[in-house]
Amino acid sequence: MAKSKRKDAKLYPLRAFGAEDEDTIYTAEQFLPLPVKVPTRSILLAIFLLLGGTVLLLFGCLAFLGHIGSHDEKENKWLSMIIVGSIMTLPGGYHTYLAFQAWREVPGYSFADIPSFDD
């Protein structure tokens, strides 16, 4: 019998259905890994963050170089685009990479590594 925090609770091992003897107290099914759902919303959010951040970084760099926008030195819209683009690109790229490696079934990567917003 296993120990528990409560003194009145008693824990017993899981018995196989229809098992009569003490040798078959465990079933093989309880050691199988649970199936992992593909977190589609999280992957779509990661792709959106990656693409949106890349676009903001591109426009921010072009505005800094003077190819787009006004040439007024007091307007520093390029700086905010670069900062927000960087903040969006980093987690989007990381989670997109995780999803791509899990899709390719590379050992060590799983869809369980991606946080799910589907709950």
Side-chain angles (χ1 to χ4, degrees):
M1 193 164 36
K3 292 183 180 180
S4 69
K5 292 182 181 179
R6 291 178 39 197
K7 292 181 182 180
D8 59 338
K10 294 182 181 180
L11 302 177
Y12 296 99
L14 178 67
R15 299 204 182 276
F17 182 72
E20 299 297 328
D21 57 346
E22 291 291 323
D23 294 335
T24 57
I25 60 173
Y26 299 108
T27 61
E29 289 83 19
Q30 74 187 88
F31 298 108
L32 295 175
L34 296 175
V36 178
K37 288 182 7 181
V38 178
T40 53
R41 289 184 190 173
S42 301
I43 293 172
L44 290 175
L45 177 64
I47 291 171
F48 169 74
L49 287 174
L50 178 64
L51 294 177
T54 304
V55 167
L56 283 175
L57 277 173
L58 178 68
F59 284 153
C61 290
L62 288 175
F64 174 72
L65 295 174
H67 292 290
I68 59 173
S70 64
H71 297 290
D72 188 15
E73 291 188 21
K74 292 184 178 182
E75 291 186 26
N76 290 333
K77 293 180 183 178
W78 60 269
L79 183 61
S80 61
M81 284 192 278
I82 288 177
I83 291 173
V84 172
S86 299
I87 291 172
M88 289 175 68
T89 302
L90 291 174
Y94 175 71
H95 287 98
T96 302
Y97 177 77
L98 283 179
F100 182 68
Q101 295 295 13
W103 175 71
R104 288 183 49 217
E105 297 178 355
V106 174
Y109 293 94
S110 171
F111 286 114
D113 297 336
I114 303 170
S116 177
F117 300 112
D118 295 336
D119 296 337

